[in-house]
Amino acid sequence: MKQVRPKKNLGQHFLTDLSIAKRIADTVDACPDLPVLEVGPGMGVLTQYLAEKPRPLKVVEIDSESVEYLVSHFGWEVDGDSSLHSPLSSHPAPRIIEGDFLRMDLRTLFDDGQFVLTGNYPYDISSQIFFKMIDNRDLIPCCTGMIQREVALRIASQPGNKQYGILSVMIQAWYDVEYLFTVEPNVFNPPPKVQSAVIRMTRNKVQHLGCDEQLFRRVVKTVFNQRRKMLRVSLRQLLPADSLSSLPSPLSSFLTKRPEQLSIAQFVELTNLVESVLCADTKI
């Protein structure tokens, strides 16, 4: 059986170290008794260890060559219908879903039930995967896996750190983040030009942020897109030009700060203040 050819356009870097694959698989044990969904199984190096765990397992693979390899090499079955009408089957083998994870309705995967998300994620779309996780946080109480180390540091970073940014705030608003371990490039084919890292994100107890969540995301993205500017500059993209000179004192106290100085609670407060100014402006 020939090996799958890594494809640059899919960001494929196949893990070759079996001991690391097993360590990654074991990260899902923090959320026991839930089905597992693996994104991007490639040639099944991680999948074979996930399959040993006594829980339903499904894998999503966009690369048809990888799907063919998994079927031929392991004998795993492809789901012809991604709606998966019998998701909790006792079938011991993983089920393969051929398709694009970013385009899937995740509620169809396990009959609207919760699951653990894991994988050796393609580095160029890892942020998109995690934003989809946030949008489906009621379904995903735990997410683990391997990503570019730089991105992992951003996700785990705290206020005041230069890596602290949009991903830090948006993910930590809903999840507790653990940076688990670093992975060197020489255990991949082909080796990436960067280090990798394995992280785990576990759903916290927050059910509502206490602000308009769409506006929260907009505020966070807006100010971090000008992260070197004080908020009095970046907020001009959100607030009427003449409002910045007559802001209420709670909001004016934020104006000399930069976004990396704000905690998640302060971003919630800032979002509510911005909303109050916008609402006041529409009433004039």
Side-chain angles (χ1 to χ4, degrees):
M1 172 64 59
K2 68 175 183 178
Q3 302 288 294
V4 176
R5 172 178 49 88
K7 299 170 187 64
K8 187 174 181 180
N9 67 309
L10 294 178
Q12 289 177 328
H13 296 274
F14 295 134
L15 182 64
T16 58
D17 188 310
L18 297 182
S19 64
I20 292 177
K22 187 177 188 310
R23 287 180 70 188
I24 297 172
D26 289 344
T27 64
V28 306
D29 293 342
C31 256
D33 306 322
L34 286 177
V36 175
L37 181 72
E38 181 191 359
V39 175
M43 291 189 289
V45 173
L46 171 61
T47 320
Q48 61 187 328
Y49 294 108
L50 293 170
E52 294 175 352
K53 300 181 181 299
R55 53 169 104 182
L57 170 64
K58 292 177 181 148
V59 301
V60 177
E61 179 56 68
I62 196 172
D63 178 26
S64 58
E65 187 181 6
S66 292
V67 171
E68 182 181 348
Y69 179 90
L70 295 173
V71 172
S72 301
H73 188 77
F74 292 102
W76 297 336
E77 297 182 13
V78 178
D79 277 292
D81 180 3
S82 63
S83 61
L84 306 178
H85 298 299
S86 301
L88 297 183
S89 167
S90 59
H91 194 293
R95 305 289 293 182
I96 305 168
I97 309 167
E98 185 171 2
D100 184 349
F101 172 79
L102 296 177
R103 296 178 178 271
M104 288 182 175
D105 178 359
L106 302 189
R107 295 196 173 278
T108 66
L109 298 181
F110 293 98
D111 197 23
D112 208 21
Q114 292 187 325
F115 58 90
V116 179
L117 182 64
T118 194
N120 175 15
Y121 303 111
Y123 292 168
D124 55 346
I125 63 167
S126 62
S127 295
Q128 296 174 62
I129 289 172
F130 297 143
F131 279 121
K132 183 159 184 143
M133 172 193 74
I134 294 169
D135 291 339
N136 292 272
R137 57 188 177 272
D138 60 322
L139 294 176
I140 307 174
C142 184
C143 174
T144 77
M146 183 156 53
I147 56 177
Q148 185 175 339
R149 182 173 183 268
E150 179 184 345
V151 177
L153 290 173
R154 263 187 260 155
I155 292 173
S157 184
Q158 296 299 307
N161 191 300
K162 66 180 181 179
Q163 283 111 350
Y164 186 71
I166 295 172
L167 277 177
S168 319
V169 175
M170 295 303 304
I171 291 177
Q172 291 179 38
W174 304 106
Y175 288 83
D176 295 328
V177 179
E178 301 169 83
Y179 183 106
L180 299 178
F181 58 92
T182 301
V183 181
E184 298 300 328
N186 63 340
V187 298
F188 295 91
N189 174 37
K193 296 180 180 179
V194 296
Q195 287 182 311
S196 304
V198 176
I199 63 170
R200 179 165 49 220
M201 296 167 282
T202 307
R203 188 74 171 84
N204 61 27
K205 297 185 183 300
V206 175
Q207 296 301 315
H208 190 274
L209 291 180
C211 65
D212 183 308
E213 291 170 13
Q214 292 300 317
L215 183 57
F216 175 83
R217 181 176 292 197
R218 187 179 166 199
V219 168
V220 171
K221 288 186 174 182
T222 296
V223 298
F224 273 112
N225 283 338
Q226 293 185 289
R227 63 177 302 130
R228 296 184 180 180
K229 303 289 186 181
M230 292 183 181
L231 296 187
R232 67 185 177 197
V233 175
S234 54
L235 286 175
R236 290 173 186 166
Q237 298 180 55
L238 293 174
L239 298 174
D242 57 352
S243 67
L244 288 172
S245 60
S246 57
L247 291 175
S249 56
L251 185 50
S252 62
S253 66
F254 283 107
L255 295 185
T256 57
K257 294 182 180 293
R258 290 182 172 81
E260 66 267 19
Q261 296 177 280
L262 271 59
S263 66
I264 293 170
Q266 287 174 314
F267 270 111
V268 170
E269 183 182 358
L270 177 61
T271 301
N272 285 327
L273 291 167
V274 167
E275 183 177 29
S276 68
V277 172
L278 293 174
C279 289
D281 184 68
T282 58
K283 294 178 182 178
I284 296 176

